[in-house]
Amino acid sequence: MSRKKDPGRTADAGNAAVAPASAAEIAAKQKTLRYQIKKNKTCYAMLAPFFILFFLFTVLPVLMSVFFSFTYFNMLEMPTFNGWNNYIKLFLEDDIFMIALKNTLIFAVITGPISYILCLLFAWIINDFKGPLRTFLTLIFYAPSICGNAYMVWSLILTGDRYGYLNGILLRLGIIDEAISWMKTEKYVLPMLIIVQLWLSLGTGFLSFIAGLQTVDKNLYEAAALDGVKNRWQELWYVTLPAMKPQLMFGAVMQITQSFAVADISVQLAGNPSVNYAGATVVTHLLDYGSTRFEMGYASAIATVLFLLMVGTNQLVQRVLRRVGE
């Protein structure tokens, strides 16, 4: 006995068969960039001013620097393409750049990790104090990085005659027999600049660590104690540092930038050029070609090398910080 087909049931079955395909299409459509922009257009509109400024004053200058690094450009004539000549000259013919690169790497290897650890250590200690005392100690440690007369103070300390503070103290203690020209003697220039850099290094990264430590949930320490954490160092490694990874990353970026971009300290204390280029850095070499000689193509090649060096170091530090707390 044959049954009549119900048209409604057949239509429902057809719709059921089509529905999954439609849902898949809708899901695929929702993943597209166009749909997301349309859905969150208000947020993108509010972020647009920042993105525009970031592109104009950060991304675009970097791209232009990379472009000009392959040209000869003296600011008076139109840039002419010269291929890899600037980079060949930089690494094979420019002896001063190699000295500056060596000094910059020494700065970065010594001042970068040490200043980063000091920022974290002092922030961790200061965070245990309460109220006005914590604010006062934060100001004391942060003040050198924003002090406008810092270079003048260190110029007085490192004055090369017997009236310089450092020479006066060492002469009075009998450690030296005659005054030392600290910034005019090649072997003393770089160590003194490193000391000054470390003194100035407790800056924005230090403040970010203070802020990060204050946002750590206190309940985490109680839970860690139940799990077997017994002392402050274990709390720091397994609880505090993992809870403030964003601040750790920000502080690392700031310290990398600061350690590789050393220039003002060398120019103000040792001069540019310094004696036998003992205080030369990549940035002072860049300023020489960019601001004095106006060889913008060559200066752009120097800037590009410095940029790649910073990016590579930043990626390495990020890999290390991801292992914090493991």
Short mmCIF file of all heavy atoms in Angstrom, two decimals, residues 274-326:
data_model
loop_
_atom_site.label_atom_id
_atom_site.label_comp_id
_atom_site.label_asym_id
_atom_site.label_seq_id
_atom_site.Cartn_x
_atom_site.Cartn_y
_atom_site.Cartn_z
N SER A 274 84.21 61.13 20.61
CA SER A 274 84.96 60.94 21.85
C SER A 274 86.39 60.56 21.51
O SER A 274 86.72 60.28 20.35
CB SER A 274 84.29 59.86 22.70
OG SER A 274 84.16 58.66 21.96
N VAL A 275 87.25 60.54 22.54
CA VAL A 275 88.67 60.24 22.31
C VAL A 275 88.81 58.83 21.73
O VAL A 275 88.35 57.85 22.31
CB VAL A 275 89.46 60.40 23.63
CG1 VAL A 275 88.86 59.55 24.74
CG2 VAL A 275 90.92 60.04 23.42
N ASN A 276 89.42 58.75 20.56
CA ASN A 276 89.60 57.49 19.84
C ASN A 276 88.29 56.71 19.69
O ASN A 276 88.30 55.48 19.61
CB ASN A 276 90.64 56.61 20.54
CG ASN A 276 92.03 57.17 20.44
OD1 ASN A 276 92.36 57.91 19.51
ND2 ASN A 276 92.87 56.86 21.41
N TYR A 277 87.18 57.43 19.67
CA TYR A 277 85.84 56.84 19.52
C TYR A 277 85.54 55.81 20.60
O TYR A 277 84.78 54.87 20.38
CB TYR A 277 85.68 56.20 18.14
CG TYR A 277 85.84 57.20 17.02
CD1 TYR A 277 87.06 57.31 16.35
CD2 TYR A 277 84.81 58.03 16.64
CE1 TYR A 277 87.23 58.24 15.32
CE2 TYR A 277 84.96 58.96 15.62
CZ TYR A 277 86.18 59.06 14.96
OH TYR A 277 86.34 59.98 13.96
N ALA A 278 86.12 56.02 21.80
CA ALA A 278 85.92 55.07 22.89
C ALA A 278 84.49 55.08 23.39
O ALA A 278 84.03 54.08 23.94
CB ALA A 278 86.88 55.38 24.04
N GLY A 279 83.79 56.21 23.23
CA GLY A 279 82.40 56.29 23.67
C GLY A 279 81.40 56.30 22.53
O GLY A 279 80.21 56.60 22.75
N ALA A 280 81.87 55.99 21.32
CA ALA A 280 80.97 56.02 20.17
C ALA A 280 79.97 54.88 20.23
O ALA A 280 80.30 53.76 20.64
CB ALA A 280 81.78 55.93 18.87
N THR A 281 78.74 55.15 19.83
CA THR A 281 77.70 54.12 19.73
C THR A 281 77.08 54.20 18.34
O THR A 281 77.37 55.11 17.56
CB THR A 281 76.61 54.32 20.80
OG1 THR A 281 75.95 55.58 20.57
CG2 THR A 281 77.21 54.33 22.20
N VAL A 282 76.22 53.25 18.04
CA VAL A 282 75.57 53.25 16.73
C VAL A 282 74.74 54.50 16.54
O VAL A 282 74.72 55.08 15.44
CB VAL A 282 74.69 51.99 16.59
CG1 VAL A 282 73.88 52.04 15.28
CG2 VAL A 282 75.54 50.73 16.61
N VAL A 283 74.10 54.98 17.59
CA VAL A 283 73.26 56.17 17.46
C VAL A 283 74.10 57.42 17.27
O VAL A 283 73.74 58.31 16.48
CB VAL A 283 72.34 56.32 18.69
CG1 VAL A 283 71.50 57.59 18.59
CG2 VAL A 283 71.42 55.11 18.80
N THR A 284 75.24 57.55 17.95
CA THR A 284 76.11 58.71 17.72
C THR A 284 76.67 58.68 16.30
O THR A 284 76.82 59.73 15.67
CB THR A 284 77.26 58.74 18.74
OG1 THR A 284 78.06 57.55 18.60
CG2 THR A 284 76.73 58.83 20.15
N HIS A 285 76.97 57.49 15.80
CA HIS A 285 77.43 57.37 14.41
C HIS A 285 76.31 57.76 13.45
O HIS A 285 76.54 58.43 12.43
CB HIS A 285 77.88 55.93 14.15
CG HIS A 285 78.77 55.77 12.97
ND1 HIS A 285 79.91 56.52 12.78
CD2 HIS A 285 78.70 54.93 11.89
CE1 HIS A 285 80.50 56.16 11.66
NE2 HIS A 285 79.79 55.20 11.09
N LEU A 286 75.10 57.38 13.78
CA LEU A 286 73.94 57.75 12.99
C LEU A 286 73.73 59.25 12.99
O LEU A 286 73.46 59.87 11.94
CB LEU A 286 72.69 57.04 13.54
CG LEU A 286 71.32 57.47 13.02
CD1 LEU A 286 71.20 57.19 11.53
CD2 LEU A 286 70.21 56.74 13.78
N LEU A 287 73.87 59.89 14.15
CA LEU A 287 73.72 61.34 14.24
C LEU A 287 74.80 62.05 13.44
O LEU A 287 74.55 63.12 12.85
CB LEU A 287 73.78 61.78 15.71
CG LEU A 287 72.60 61.33 16.59
CD1 LEU A 287 72.88 61.69 18.06
CD2 LEU A 287 71.31 61.97 16.13
N ASP A 288 75.99 61.49 13.42
CA ASP A 288 77.09 62.09 12.66
C ASP A 288 76.75 62.16 11.18
O ASP A 288 76.88 63.22 10.54
CB ASP A 288 78.36 61.28 12.91
CG ASP A 288 79.56 61.86 12.17
OD1 ASP A 288 79.56 63.07 11.90
OD2 ASP A 288 80.50 61.09 11.88
N TYR A 289 76.29 61.05 10.62
CA TYR A 289 75.99 61.02 9.18
C TYR A 289 74.65 61.66 8.86
O TYR A 289 74.48 62.25 7.79
CB TYR A 289 76.00 59.57 8.67
CG TYR A 289 77.39 59.08 8.34
CD1 TYR A 289 78.15 58.41 9.30
CD2 TYR A 289 77.96 59.31 7.10
CE1 TYR A 289 79.43 57.96 9.02
CE2 TYR A 289 79.24 58.87 6.80
CZ TYR A 289 79.97 58.20 7.76
OH TYR A 289 81.24 57.77 7.48
N GLY A 290 73.69 61.58 9.78
CA GLY A 290 72.37 62.11 9.48
C GLY A 290 72.22 63.60 9.76
O GLY A 290 71.58 64.31 8.98
N SER A 291 72.83 64.10 10.85
CA SER A 291 72.64 65.49 11.26
C SER A 291 73.81 66.40 10.92
O SER A 291 73.64 67.62 10.89
CB SER A 291 72.39 65.55 12.78
OG SER A 291 71.27 64.77 13.14
N THR A 292 74.98 65.83 10.71
CA THR A 292 76.16 66.65 10.42
C THR A 292 76.57 66.57 8.95
O THR A 292 76.73 67.59 8.28
CB THR A 292 77.35 66.21 11.30
OG1 THR A 292 76.95 66.26 12.68
CG2 THR A 292 78.54 67.12 11.09
N ARG A 293 76.68 65.36 8.43
CA ARG A 293 77.11 65.18 7.04
C ARG A 293 75.93 65.15 6.06
O ARG A 293 76.15 65.29 4.86
CB ARG A 293 77.92 63.89 6.91
CG ARG A 293 79.05 63.77 7.91
CD ARG A 293 79.91 62.57 7.62
NE ARG A 293 80.83 62.28 8.72
CZ ARG A 293 81.86 61.46 8.64
NH1 ARG A 293 82.11 60.82 7.50
NH2 ARG A 293 82.64 61.25 9.68
N PHE A 294 74.74 64.92 6.56
CA PHE A 294 73.52 64.85 5.74
C PHE A 294 73.62 63.80 4.63
O PHE A 294 73.08 63.99 3.55
CB PHE A 294 73.19 66.22 5.14
CG PHE A 294 72.82 67.23 6.17
CD1 PHE A 294 73.71 68.23 6.55
CD2 PHE A 294 71.57 67.19 6.78
CE1 PHE A 294 73.37 69.15 7.52
CE2 PHE A 294 71.22 68.12 7.75
CZ PHE A 294 72.13 69.11 8.12
N GLU A 295 74.31 62.70 4.92
CA GLU A 295 74.31 61.55 4.01
C GLU A 295 73.17 60.63 4.45
O GLU A 295 73.37 59.64 5.16
CB GLU A 295 75.66 60.84 4.05
CG GLU A 295 76.81 61.69 3.55
CD GLU A 295 78.12 60.93 3.50
OE1 GLU A 295 78.07 59.67 3.50
OE2 GLU A 295 79.18 61.59 3.45
N MET A 296 71.96 60.97 4.02
CA MET A 296 70.77 60.33 4.56
C MET A 296 70.63 58.87 4.13
O MET A 296 70.07 58.06 4.87
CB MET A 296 69.52 61.11 4.14
CG MET A 296 69.55 62.57 4.57
SD MET A 296 69.85 62.77 6.34
CE MET A 296 68.40 62.02 7.04
N GLY A 297 71.13 58.52 2.97
CA GLY A 297 71.08 57.13 2.54
C GLY A 297 71.92 56.24 3.44
O GLY A 297 71.48 55.17 3.88
N TYR A 298 73.15 56.70 3.71
CA TYR A 298 74.04 55.94 4.59
C TYR A 298 73.51 55.92 6.02
O TYR A 298 73.56 54.89 6.70
CB TYR A 298 75.44 56.55 4.55
CG TYR A 298 76.52 55.68 5.12
CD1 TYR A 298 76.92 54.52 4.46
CD2 TYR A 298 77.14 56.00 6.32
CE1 TYR A 298 77.92 53.71 4.98
CE2 TYR A 298 78.13 55.19 6.86
CZ TYR A 298 78.51 54.05 6.18
OH TYR A 298 79.50 53.24 6.70
N ALA A 299 72.99 57.05 6.49
CA ALA A 299 72.41 57.12 7.83
C ALA A 299 71.20 56.18 7.94
O ALA A 299 70.99 55.54 8.98
CB ALA A 299 71.99 58.55 8.16
N SER A 300 70.43 56.06 6.87
CA SER A 300 69.28 55.16 6.88
C SER A 300 69.72 53.70 6.98
O SER A 300 69.06 52.88 7.62
CB SER A 300 68.43 55.36 5.62
OG SER A 300 67.87 56.66 5.59
N ALA A 301 70.85 53.38 6.36
CA ALA A 301 71.38 52.01 6.47
C ALA A 301 71.79 51.72 7.91
O ALA A 301 71.53 50.62 8.44
CB ALA A 301 72.57 51.84 5.53
N ILE A 302 72.41 52.69 8.57
CA ILE A 302 72.77 52.51 9.99
C ILE A 302 71.52 52.32 10.84
O ILE A 302 71.46 51.43 11.71
CB ILE A 302 73.58 53.74 10.48
CG1 ILE A 302 74.87 53.87 9.68
CG2 ILE A 302 73.88 53.61 11.97
CD1 ILE A 302 75.66 55.14 9.99
N ALA A 303 70.49 53.14 10.58
CA ALA A 303 69.24 53.04 11.34
C ALA A 303 68.56 51.70 11.10
O ALA A 303 67.98 51.12 12.04
CB ALA A 303 68.31 54.19 10.95
N THR A 304 68.62 51.19 9.90
CA THR A 304 67.99 49.90 9.59
C THR A 304 68.69 48.76 10.32
O THR A 304 68.03 47.86 10.86
CB THR A 304 68.01 49.64 8.08
OG1 THR A 304 67.33 50.71 7.40
CG2 THR A 304 67.33 48.33 7.74
N VAL A 305 70.01 48.80 10.36
CA VAL A 305 70.76 47.78 11.09
C VAL A 305 70.40 47.83 12.58
O VAL A 305 70.18 46.78 13.22
CB VAL A 305 72.27 47.98 10.90
CG1 VAL A 305 73.07 47.06 11.82
CG2 VAL A 305 72.66 47.71 9.45
N LEU A 306 70.33 49.03 13.14
CA LEU A 306 69.97 49.17 14.55
C LEU A 306 68.55 48.67 14.80
O LEU A 306 68.29 48.00 15.81
CB LEU A 306 70.08 50.65 14.96
CG LEU A 306 69.77 50.97 16.42
CD1 LEU A 306 70.73 50.24 17.35
CD2 LEU A 306 69.84 52.47 16.67
N PHE A 307 67.64 48.95 13.89
CA PHE A 307 66.26 48.49 14.02
C PHE A 307 66.19 46.97 14.02
O PHE A 307 65.52 46.36 14.86
CB PHE A 307 65.41 49.07 12.89
CG PHE A 307 64.01 48.53 12.82
CD1 PHE A 307 63.06 48.93 13.73
CD2 PHE A 307 63.65 47.62 11.84
CE1 PHE A 307 61.77 48.43 13.68
CE2 PHE A 307 62.37 47.12 11.77
CZ PHE A 307 61.42 47.53 12.69
N LEU A 308 66.88 46.32 13.09
CA LEU A 308 66.88 44.86 13.03
C LEU A 308 67.52 44.26 14.27
O LEU A 308 67.08 43.22 14.77
CB LEU A 308 67.62 44.40 11.77
CG LEU A 308 66.96 44.77 10.43
CD1 LEU A 308 67.85 44.33 9.26
CD2 LEU A 308 65.58 44.14 10.31
N LEU A 309 68.55 44.92 14.79
CA LEU A 309 69.20 44.45 16.01
C LEU A 309 68.24 44.50 17.20
O LEU A 309 68.17 43.55 18.00
CB LEU A 309 70.44 45.31 16.28
CG LEU A 309 71.48 44.77 17.26
CD1 LEU A 309 72.04 43.45 16.78
CD2 LEU A 309 72.60 45.79 17.43
N MET A 310 67.49 45.58 17.30
CA MET A 310 66.51 45.71 18.38
C MET A 310 65.39 44.68 18.25
O MET A 310 64.98 44.05 19.24
CB MET A 310 65.90 47.11 18.38
CG MET A 310 66.80 48.21 18.90
SD MET A 310 65.94 49.78 18.95
CE MET A 310 67.20 50.82 19.70
N VAL A 311 64.89 44.49 17.03
CA VAL A 311 63.79 43.53 16.82
C VAL A 311 64.25 42.11 17.15
O VAL A 311 63.53 41.35 17.82
CB VAL A 311 63.28 43.61 15.37
CG1 VAL A 311 62.31 42.47 15.08
CG2 VAL A 311 62.60 44.95 15.11
N GLY A 312 65.46 41.74 16.71
CA GLY A 312 65.97 40.41 17.00
C GLY A 312 66.15 40.17 18.49
O GLY A 312 65.79 39.11 19.02
N THR A 313 66.70 41.17 19.19
CA THR A 313 66.87 41.05 20.64
C THR A 313 65.53 40.97 21.35
O THR A 313 65.36 40.20 22.31
CB THR A 313 67.67 42.25 21.17
OG1 THR A 313 68.89 42.37 20.43
CG2 THR A 313 67.98 42.07 22.64
N ASN A 314 64.56 41.74 20.87
CA ASN A 314 63.23 41.73 21.47
C ASN A 314 62.59 40.35 21.33
O ASN A 314 61.96 39.84 22.28
CB ASN A 314 62.36 42.79 20.81
CG ASN A 314 61.04 42.99 21.52
OD1 ASN A 314 60.91 42.70 22.70
ND2 ASN A 314 60.05 43.48 20.81
N GLN A 315 62.72 39.73 20.18
CA GLN A 315 62.16 38.38 19.99
C GLN A 315 62.83 37.36 20.91
O GLN A 315 62.17 36.48 21.47
CB GLN A 315 62.34 37.96 18.52
CG GLN A 315 61.53 38.77 17.53
CD GLN A 315 60.04 38.62 17.75
OE1 GLN A 315 59.54 37.53 18.00
NE2 GLN A 315 59.32 39.73 17.66
N LEU A 316 64.15 37.49 21.08
CA LEU A 316 64.87 36.59 21.97
C LEU A 316 64.40 36.75 23.41
O LEU A 316 64.16 35.75 24.12
CB LEU A 316 66.37 36.86 21.87
CG LEU A 316 67.28 36.02 22.77
CD1 LEU A 316 67.16 34.54 22.43
CD2 LEU A 316 68.73 36.49 22.65
N VAL A 317 64.23 38.00 23.85
CA VAL A 317 63.79 38.26 25.22
C VAL A 317 62.37 37.75 25.43
O VAL A 317 62.04 37.21 26.49
CB VAL A 317 63.89 39.76 25.53
CG1 VAL A 317 63.22 40.09 26.85
CG2 VAL A 317 65.35 40.19 25.56
N GLN A 318 61.50 37.89 24.43
CA GLN A 318 60.14 37.38 24.56
C GLN A 318 60.12 35.87 24.76
O GLN A 318 59.32 35.35 25.56
CB GLN A 318 59.32 37.76 23.32
CG GLN A 318 58.94 39.22 23.24
CD GLN A 318 58.05 39.52 22.06
OE1 GLN A 318 57.43 38.63 21.50
NE2 GLN A 318 57.99 40.78 21.66
N ARG A 319 60.97 35.15 24.05
CA ARG A 319 61.04 33.70 24.24
C ARG A 319 61.48 33.34 25.65
O ARG A 319 60.99 32.38 26.26
CB ARG A 319 62.02 33.09 23.23
CG ARG A 319 61.51 33.11 21.79
CD ARG A 319 62.46 32.35 20.89
NE ARG A 319 61.98 32.31 19.51
CZ ARG A 319 62.58 31.67 18.53
NH1 ARG A 319 63.72 31.00 18.78
NH2 ARG A 319 62.09 31.67 17.31
N VAL A 320 62.43 34.12 26.19
CA VAL A 320 62.90 33.85 27.55
C VAL A 320 61.79 34.14 28.56
O VAL A 320 61.56 33.35 29.49
CB VAL A 320 64.14 34.71 27.85
CG1 VAL A 320 64.55 34.55 29.31
CG2 VAL A 320 65.30 34.30 26.95
N LEU A 321 61.08 35.25 28.39
CA LEU A 321 60.04 35.63 29.35
C LEU A 321 58.85 34.67 29.33
O LEU A 321 58.13 34.55 30.32
CB LEU A 321 59.56 37.06 29.07
CG LEU A 321 60.58 38.16 29.38
CD1 LEU A 321 60.00 39.52 29.04
CD2 LEU A 321 60.99 38.13 30.85
N ARG A 322 58.61 34.00 28.19
CA ARG A 322 57.52 33.03 28.15
C ARG A 322 57.78 31.83 29.06
O ARG A 322 56.83 31.10 29.41
CB ARG A 322 57.32 32.54 26.71
CG ARG A 322 56.74 33.61 25.77
CD ARG A 322 56.28 32.99 24.47
NE ARG A 322 55.91 34.01 23.50
CZ ARG A 322 56.68 34.38 22.49
NH1 ARG A 322 57.86 33.80 22.31
NH2 ARG A 322 56.30 35.30 21.65
N ARG A 323 59.02 31.61 29.43
CA ARG A 323 59.35 30.46 30.28
C ARG A 323 59.33 30.82 31.77
O ARG A 323 59.63 29.97 32.60
CB ARG A 323 60.76 29.95 29.92
CG ARG A 323 60.88 29.51 28.47
CD ARG A 323 62.26 28.99 28.16
NE ARG A 323 62.54 27.78 28.92
CZ ARG A 323 62.22 26.56 28.54
NH1 ARG A 323 61.59 26.38 27.39
NH2 ARG A 323 62.51 25.51 29.28
N VAL A 324 58.97 32.08 32.08
CA VAL A 324 58.90 32.49 33.48
C VAL A 324 57.83 31.70 34.20
O VAL A 324 56.69 31.60 33.72
CB VAL A 324 58.61 34.01 33.57
CG1 VAL A 324 58.30 34.39 35.02
CG2 VAL A 324 59.82 34.79 33.08
N GLY A 325 58.16 31.14 35.34
CA GLY A 325 57.21 30.39 36.15
C GLY A 325 57.14 28.92 35.82
O GLY A 325 56.41 28.17 36.48
N GLU A 326 57.88 28.46 34.79
CA GLU A 326 57.82 27.04 34.43
C GLU A 326 58.73 26.21 35.32
O GLU A 326 59.73 26.69 35.81
CB GLU A 326 58.25 26.86 32.96
CG GLU A 326 57.27 27.51 31.98
CD GLU A 326 57.69 27.28 30.54
OE1 GLU A 326 58.75 26.65 30.32
OE2 GLU A 326 56.97 27.73 29.64
#
